[in-house]
C-alpha cells in the first residue's frame, strides 16, 4: 500500500510537470505574439537602407573610401605576399624590403597632417585630403591587382 508521502511526491511531480508545460505554452504564445511578421521586418530593413542612402554625401563617401582602403590592407596582406612571391618571383628578403619601402608614407604621416592643416584643398582642410587619399588608395589597389607585372610596378602601387 502506498504511503501518504509517496502520494504527496506524485502530486508534487504532477503539479511541477503541469506548471512546466503551462509555462512553456505561455512562452510560446508570448513569442508568437511578439514575433514580427516578415513584412514588418522587410519594411524595417527598407527604412534603414533608405536612411543610409539619404545620409550619403561626399564627406561620408570619402570617409568610407579611406576605411575601405584600410580594410583592404588588412584583408589582402597574405594574398599580396603570395602575389609578390609567386607571380613576381620575389625572394622573402625582397618581399620584406618591399614592405619596408611601402611603410615609408606612414613615417611621414605627421608631414601630411601639417600640410592638410595649413593648406586647404578645394576649400577644405581635411575632407578633400581624405577624399583624395581614398581615391588614390583605391586606384593603387586596382592597379596592383590588374596591371602590375614587375616589382617596380608593385612598389609604386603599394607606396601610394
Amino acid at each position: 500500500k502506498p504511503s501518504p508521502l509517496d502520494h504527496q511526491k506524485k502530486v508534487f511531480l504532477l503539479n511541477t510537470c503541469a506548471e512546466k508545460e503551462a509555462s512553456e505554452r505561455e512562452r510560446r504564445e508570448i513569442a508568437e505574439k511578439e514575433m514580427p511578421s516578415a513584412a514588418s521586418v522587410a519594411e524595417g530593413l527598407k527604412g534603414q537602407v533608405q536612411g543610409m542612402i539619404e545620409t550619403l554625401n561626399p564627406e561620408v563617401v570619402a570617409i568610407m573610401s579611406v576605411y575601405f582602403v584600410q580594410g583592404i590592407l588588412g584583408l589582402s596582406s597574405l594574398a599580396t605576399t603570395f602575389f609578390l612571391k609567386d607571380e613576381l618571383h620575389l625572394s622573402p628578403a625582397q618581399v620584406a624590403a618591399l614592405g619596408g619601402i611601402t611603410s615609408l608614407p606612414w613615417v611621414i604621416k605627421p608631414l601630411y597632417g601639417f600640410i592638410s592643416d595649413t593648406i586647404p584643398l578645394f576649400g577644405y582642410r581635411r575632407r578633400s585630403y581624405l577624399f583624395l587619399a581614398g581615391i588614390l588608395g583605391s586606384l593603387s589597389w586596382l592597379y596592383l591587382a590588374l596591371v602590375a607585372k614587375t616589382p617596380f610596378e608593385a612598389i609604386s602601387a603599394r607606396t601610394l
Side-chain angles (χ1 to χ4, degrees), residues 50-61 64:
Q50 285 176 341
M52 287 172 30
I53 290 171
E54 289 172 4
T55 60
L56 285 180
N57 57 43
E59 180 180 350
V60 172
V61 171
M64 287 171 52

Side-chain angles (χ1 to χ4, degrees), residues 65-110:
S65 66
V66 169
Y67 277 102
F68 170 76
V69 170
Q70 289 301 315
I72 290 296
L73 286 172
L75 281 173
S76 66
S77 63
L78 184 61
T80 304
T81 302
F82 278 105
F83 170 73
L84 296 172
K85 182 178 75 70
D86 295 340
E87 298 295 321
L88 300 181
H89 308 291
L90 297 178
S91 69
Q94 290 171 321
V95 172
L98 178 65
I101 292 169
T102 59
S103 67
L104 285 178
W106 289 100
V107 173
I108 57 174
K109 188 176 174 185

